[in-house]
Amino acid sequence: MLRIVTIVACCFSALSAAAQTPPPPAFLGQIVVPSGLSIDGVTFGGISDLAFDSETGRYLAISDDRVEKGPARYYELELTVTEGAATLNIAATRELKDETGAAFAPKGIDAEGIALDRKGGKLYWSSERDLKNQPALYVSDLDGSNVKRLELPNAYLVDDAKTRGVQNNLGFEGLTLMPGRLIAATENALTQDGPKATPQAGSPARILVIDTATLKPVAEHVYVTEAISKTPTAAEPKYNDNGLSAIAALPDGRFVAVERNFASGVGNHIRFFIADMSRADNILGKDKIDPASVAAVSKSAWFEINEGDFGLDIDNIESFALGPVVDGKQLFVIASDDNFNTGKQFTQFAAFAIPANLGQ
């Protein structure tokens, strides 16, 4: 069993002292797990979000397997990446159950986000779609019991005519916690709010803010993604996209937003932003919006990863989590979803660091 180094969890004081964009991060290293790895007969992969548990020093990594290669699940990972050394131990696999306590049926969940409230004793996770393409947010006790499915505004629910609700496979992708608030983000616009991202324009995704005491929505905001940045070079399939693939809260009330762009024949282009909801319009209760008339979440560019940057063959990044502070450096980890695409994609954990005392 591989062991991780001793770590001390700490606040991200870098941003709380002054509202600024952090400096470009230093790349520490990566661990790549080939697609197809089997653990007790269940395929490892589909990593779609990370949450760091400062009490155990482990990362929780949720899989978006639609109960086709194993049960709905998340992993507990002991992951250490420092300059010149990297270790990964898949310490545990935890099954996710539905609100009745039963296992999810095949295609009954498409888990994409995970957030841990260790102090409050709660675990949150999101599903992008079920058998009827409906999105969902769940909360449970830390041991996975007492599962509740949160009530969502009608705007997110797909109607029979498919003129309202999340677009297929573009639902709740990002999930994070702020004090007293659960923040859930769709990957692109709701059907009634606008189209998917194009090479000419971004897409007005929605940010849903839920009170963790009442489990009721208290705010909604618009987050406009960037336009698709790369043109496909492959003849077939000719495909490109861009979407909000992960969010991670910062202690000063802002959050990191990860936008993942893919173009066939080119590869991935990952962009990281610092986003601020404080001056965004609250659109709670509106079934449909005119994005042009709404003040959206503001964001500033932080850094980006094109193919080859940092020496990385960057894959399908869908996860971001702030980790511990080690030797005065705030660590964070990004991770990729291999889509269970054996031989063509892989699960990638890449670690970075920035100064922990930025702004002090």
Side-chain angles (χ1 to χ4, degrees):
M1 179 177 178
L2 299 172
R3 305 304 301 174
I4 59 172
V5 297
T6 301
I7 56 180
V8 179
C10 182
C11 63
F12 190 61
S13 58
L15 289 174
S16 57
Q20 59 188 35
T21 302
F27 173 61
L28 297 179
Q30 69 167 334
I31 293 175
V32 172
V33 180
S35 184
L37 173 68
S38 179
I39 301 173
D40 296 327
V42 175
T43 304
F44 178 82
I47 303 304
S48 292
D49 200 14
L50 295 171
F52 181 66
D53 186 348
S54 60
E55 183 169 306
T56 65
R58 292 177 173 178
Y59 290 87
L60 309 186
I62 199 163
S63 173
D64 70 357
D65 178 10
R66 301 188 70 192
V67 197
E68 294 173 309
K69 299 182 181 298
R73 60 196 179 278
Y74 71 92
Y75 300 96
E76 294 186 18
L77 306 178
E78 294 173 342
L79 171 66
T80 301
V81 183
T82 56
E83 293 177 282
T87 60
L88 171 67
N89 177 43
I90 304 170
T93 303
R94 308 293 185 194
E95 184 175 358
L96 297 169
K97 300 291 184 68
D98 69 13
E99 63 270 35
T100 70
F104 282 97
K107 295 190 177 181
I109 186 174
D110 185 359
E112 296 287 351
I114 190 167
L116 173 68
D117 179 6
R118 168 63 72 172
K119 184 177 180 180
K122 297 297 181 183
L123 182 69
Y124 298 86
W125 68 94
S126 65
S127 172
E128 197 165 43
R129 54 186 170 169
D130 60 12
L131 283 165
K132 297 181 179 180
N133 288 323
Q134 298 292 5
L137 297 173
Y138 296 92
V139 60
S140 72
D141 294 340
L142 292 181
D143 63 1
S145 64
N146 194 29
V147 178
K148 293 183 176 65
R149 181 168 177 162
L150 279 57
E151 185 175 347
L152 298 175
N154 287 335
Y156 294 84
L157 304 179
V158 181
D159 62 3
D160 291 340
K162 297 183 180 179
T163 59
R164 184 197 70 200
V166 297
Q167 299 190 60
N168 185 43
N169 204 27
L170 294 174
F172 290 122
E173 190 82 20
L175 197 68
T176 193
L177 282 166
M178 293 181 178
R181 298 289 187 265
L182 177 70
I183 315 297
T186 64
E187 187 173 353
N188 267 205
L190 302 183
T191 299
Q192 68 273 25
D193 290 345
K196 298 185 290 186
T198 68
Q200 291 74 41
S203 182
R206 287 208 193 194
I207 304 286
L208 180 62
V209 182
I210 294 174
D211 186 300
T212 54
T214 64
L215 299 181
K216 301 294 184 182
V218 293
E220 277 184 280
H221 305 295
V222 172
Y223 175 101
V224 181
T225 74
E226 299 297 295
I228 296 173
S229 62
K230 303 294 183 181
T231 301
T233 59
E236 292 295 337
K238 197 163 189 172
Y239 178 80
N240 58 355
D241 69 351
N242 184 66
L244 180 58
S245 65
I247 58 175
L250 301 173
D252 68 352
R254 298 184 295 169
F255 63 88
V256 177
V258 183
E259 296 191 31
R260 172 208 53 214
N261 186 104
F262 173 79
S264 55
V266 178
N268 293 282
H269 175 207
I270 316 299
R271 291 174 281 192
F272 299 80
F273 300 88
I274 303 298
D276 186 350
M277 298 183 290
S278 63
R279 297 182 181 179
D281 286 345
N282 185 353
I283 60 167
L284 183 65
K286 293 188 177 182
D287 275 349
K288 182 179 180 180
I289 61 165
D290 174 12
S293 66
V294 175
V297 172
S298 62
K299 61 180 184 177
S300 56
W302 180 13
F303 73 104
E304 62 184 56
I305 308 176
N306 282 285
E307 294 289 349
D309 289 350
F310 300 101
L312 292 170
D313 176 9
I314 197 69
D315 209 294
N316 177 35
I317 300 299
E318 292 194 0
S319 305
F320 182 106
L322 293 170
V325 171
V326 177
D327 297 331
K329 297 177 181 179
Q330 171 68 60
L331 274 56
F332 66 87
V333 176
I334 63 175
S336 69
D337 174 3
D338 69 348
N339 293 311
F340 300 100
N341 193 1
T342 303
K344 295 183 179 180
Q345 290 183 261
F346 45 82
T347 300
Q348 177 179 43
F349 300 96
F352 298 81
I354 58 175
N357 61 348
L358 177 67
Q360 291 188 334

